[in-house]
Amino acid sequence: MSTTRTPTLPSRLPNVGTTIFSVMSALAQEHGAVNLGQGFPDFDCDPRLVEAVTAAMQQGLNQYPPMPGVPALREAIAAKLANLYRHAYDPGTEITVTAGATQGILTAILCCVHPGDEVIVLEPCYDSYGPNIELAGGTIVRVPLTPGSFRPDFGLIAAAMTPRTRAIIVNSPHNPSATVWTAEEMQQLAALLRPTDVLLISDEVYEHMVYDGRPHVSAASIPELAARTFLVSSFGKTYHVTGWKVGFVAAPAALTAEFRKVHQFNVFTVNTPVQHALASYMADPAPYLDLPAFYQRKRDLFRAGLQANTRFKLLPSEGSYFQCVDYSAIDDSVNETDFCRRLTTEVGVAAIPLSPFYADGFEQRIVRFCFAKKDETLQRALDRLARL
């Protein structure tokens, strides 16, 4: 009789399963569907960026870099933030290169949230926020954005704040709704937080994807917010290299010191040749300055096709590379997840339901498409969607 036994392991995340992104991508692959679900480009990055990584490796830059990141990259990040948002971050003590934005958000939460602390999240929200807070021993306080418009309701946010509130997570441009917070809304947030010690984790990974002449109002651009903010951004989103998993977190020195205590025992540091390549590539600001026009053209192409040939009701897409649609005119009887499954298996286009971005699965008959795709991919999807 065998005595081999695997001990029972109580789950740290008992309510977490496979993400909806993985589920829908697998379903898309199984059925040969056009994958407009998971948020990644199907086109290549600038060849100059690949060449820069190759050059760095050939130059022998393949060993551990400093724990906070390659100095040249942190200096380039500081220069960009100063130019765009008029806030001077010290690259030595206030900027840390991370293994993607998701790791940056987790590390920010782990370094500041203690057991019993409350963290406000605005739903619908990216699916890593809740598990991150749970891993830190914090309590998730869920506040809905206004259904339909997805604008912040500051009355509800204020009502959710207590003496135990440690932080609030804000994401603009917003995934999944594609809304962008206005300067007035960011100022309202500053006024709300002013009399408190509440920290702000500002998820700005889509900072360079804002359309129709709107500005991206970074937390860094408002001094009293910058003073309490972990600003998180992503090179993967900006430069079409999501698989490289490199981002950064900028924060005041006192917050960064605590952030780095966790970072050094989390990932310690990040891919060396990629950091050197990004540092040299950032000398030219055109790739991120031109990004709004690049993606707005794709957005407009996709929206025009949906409007002309489908019964979807299009929600505004102010930023990010997502387009949300209301499908109730097509079939109001089916929930969002089942509609996405049907869309994938019967029509051949994968989308993401909004309901998994809510803890309670709130249904609005809205699904999300990603338009960060080649024009021919978008056209192939539109041709299939026209059959609905």
Side-chain angles (χ1 to χ4, degrees), residues 16-27:
V16 172
T18 305
T19 72
I20 189 64
F21 308 105
S22 298
V23 170
M24 295 310 303
S25 287
L27 197 64

Side-chain angles (χ1 to χ4, degrees), residues 257-270:
E258 293 303 313
F259 180 93
R260 289 178 179 177
K261 288 179 184 179
V262 176
H263 176 79
Q264 69 181 335
F265 295 116
N266 184 336
V267 295
F268 179 65
T269 192
V270 177

Side-chain angles (χ1 to χ4, degrees), residues 324-387:
C324 287
V325 299
D326 182 326
Y327 64 83
S328 55
I330 296 171
D331 188 346
D332 194 36
S333 66
V334 64
N335 67 40
E336 292 170 6
T337 299
D338 287 345
F339 182 82
C340 285
R341 289 184 179 278
R342 171 185 153 196
L343 204 61
T344 304
T345 59
E346 298 179 13
V347 181
V349 179
I352 294 290
L354 247 64
S355 53
F357 292 85
Y358 292 88
D360 64 358
F362 179 52
E363 289 279 344
Q364 300 170 85
R365 302 301 189 261
I366 294 173
V367 300
R368 188 200 78 179
F369 293 112
C370 173
F371 55 79
K373 308 295 177 183
K374 298 173 184 175
D375 288 4
E376 53 264 38
T377 303
L378 295 174
Q379 192 57 58
R380 189 162 69 253
L382 288 168
D383 290 343
R384 295 182 180 186
L385 292 170
R387 305 171 195 164

Side-chain angles (χ1 to χ4, degrees), residues 62-117:
N62 299 302
Q63 306 308 322
Y64 291 130
M67 178 270 289
V70 167
L73 180 55
R74 285 182 280 134
E75 290 165 6
I77 294 167
K80 187 189 89 163
L81 294 175
N83 288 335
L84 292 179
Y85 308 131
R86 300 295 183 260
H87 185 84
Y89 286 97
D90 183 325
T93 61
E94 298 187 319
I95 292 173
T96 308
V97 179
T98 62
T102 300
Q103 182 251 318
I105 293 167
L106 171 62
T107 302
I109 290 170
L110 288 175
C111 83
C112 72
V113 176
H114 297 252
D117 286 348

Side-chain angles (χ1 to χ4, degrees), residues 233-287:
S233 194
S234 164
F235 292 111
K237 297 291 193 297
T238 299
Y239 292 139
H240 319 308
V241 286
T242 58
W244 288 10
K245 295 300 294 178
V246 181
F248 67 86
V249 172
L255 299 184
T256 294
E258 293 303 313
F259 180 93
R260 289 178 179 177
K261 288 179 184 179
V262 176
H263 176 79
Q264 69 181 335
F265 295 116
N266 184 336
V267 295
F268 179 65
T269 192
V270 177
N271 187 301
T272 300
V274 165
Q275 288 196 61
H276 283 281
L278 288 167
S280 63
Y281 190 71
M282 287 182 71
D284 178 9

Side-chain angles (χ1 to χ4, degrees), residues 48-372:
R48 293 181 299 155
L49 192 49
V50 176
E51 292 164 4
V53 177
T54 302
M57 289 189 288
Q58 290 174 337
Q59 291 165 23
L61 298 170
N62 299 302
Q63 306 308 322
Y64 291 130
M67 178 270 289
V70 167
L73 180 55
R74 285 182 280 134
E75 290 165 6
I77 294 167
K80 187 189 89 163
L81 294 175
N83 288 335
L84 292 179
Y85 308 131
R86 300 295 183 260
H87 185 84
Y89 286 97
D90 183 325
T93 61
E94 298 187 319
I95 292 173
T96 308
V97 179
T98 62
T102 300
Q103 182 251 318
I105 293 167
L106 171 62
T107 302
I109 290 170
L110 288 175
C111 83
C112 72
V113 176
H114 297 252
D117 286 348
E118 296 175 351
V119 181
I120 294 173
V121 300
L122 307 178
E123 289 191 319
C125 66
Y126 185 59
D127 62 354
S128 81
Y129 298 168
N132 289 179
I133 296 163
E134 290 181 355
L135 287 172
T139 299
I140 308 163
V141 178
R142 303 178 186 277
V143 177
L145 295 166
T146 304
S149 70
F150 301 100
R151 308 306 322 177
D153 184 326
F154 289 98
L156 290 180
I157 297 171
M161 293 174 63
T162 76
R164 294 182 299 279
T165 304
R166 174 68 64 185
I168 179 171
I169 305 177
V170 168
N171 174 211
S172 177
H174 186 245
N175 174 21
S177 74
T179 55
V180 174
W181 282 38
T182 65
E184 291 76 16
E185 287 167 336
M186 292 298 287
Q187 290 290 353
Q188 282 183 271
L189 178 65
L192 182 63
L193 299 184
R194 187 176 299 139
T196 77
D197 288 328
V198 173
L199 298 169
L200 171 61
I201 299 170
S202 188
D203 179 351
E204 303 185 18
V205 299
Y206 299 102
E207 61 178 318
H208 299 300
M209 302 169 206
V210 181
Y211 311 126
D212 303 315
R214 291 182 183 84
H216 167 59
V217 186
S218 172
S221 68
I222 301 173
E224 63 179 310
L225 284 181
R228 65 174 75 225
T229 294
F230 293 96
L231 185 156
V232 184
S233 194
S234 164
F235 292 111
K237 297 291 193 297
T238 299
Y239 292 139
H240 319 308
V241 286
T242 58
W244 288 10
K245 295 300 294 178
V246 181
F248 67 86
V249 172
L255 299 184
T256 294
E258 293 303 313
F259 180 93
R260 289 178 179 177
K261 288 179 184 179
V262 176
H263 176 79
Q264 69 181 335
F265 295 116
N266 184 336
V267 295
F268 179 65
T269 192
V270 177
N271 187 301
T272 300
V274 165
Q275 288 196 61
H276 283 281
L278 288 167
S280 63
Y281 190 71
M282 287 182 71
D284 178 9
Y288 58 80
L289 293 179
D290 293 344
L291 207 58
F294 173 82
Y295 273 125
Q296 182 168 331
R297 189 191 64 78
K298 289 185 177 295
R299 181 203 66 171
D300 292 349
L301 170 70
F302 188 56
R303 284 177 64 89
L306 290 175
Q307 286 177 320
N309 299 304
T310 77
R311 289 179 289 159
F312 288 121
K313 176 185 175 184
L314 276 61
L315 278 64
S317 176
E318 299 172 346
S320 80
Y321 46 43
F322 300 117
Q323 174 64 58
C324 287
V325 299
D326 182 326
Y327 64 83
S328 55
I330 296 171
D331 188 346
D332 194 36
S333 66
V334 64
N335 67 40
E336 292 170 6
T337 299
D338 287 345
F339 182 82
C340 285
R341 289 184 179 278
R342 171 185 153 196
L343 204 61
T344 304
T345 59
E346 298 179 13
V347 181
V349 179
I352 294 290
L354 247 64
S355 53
F357 292 85
Y358 292 88
D360 64 358
F362 179 52
E363 289 279 344
Q364 300 170 85
R365 302 301 189 261
I366 294 173
V367 300
R368 188 200 78 179
F369 293 112
C370 173
F371 55 79

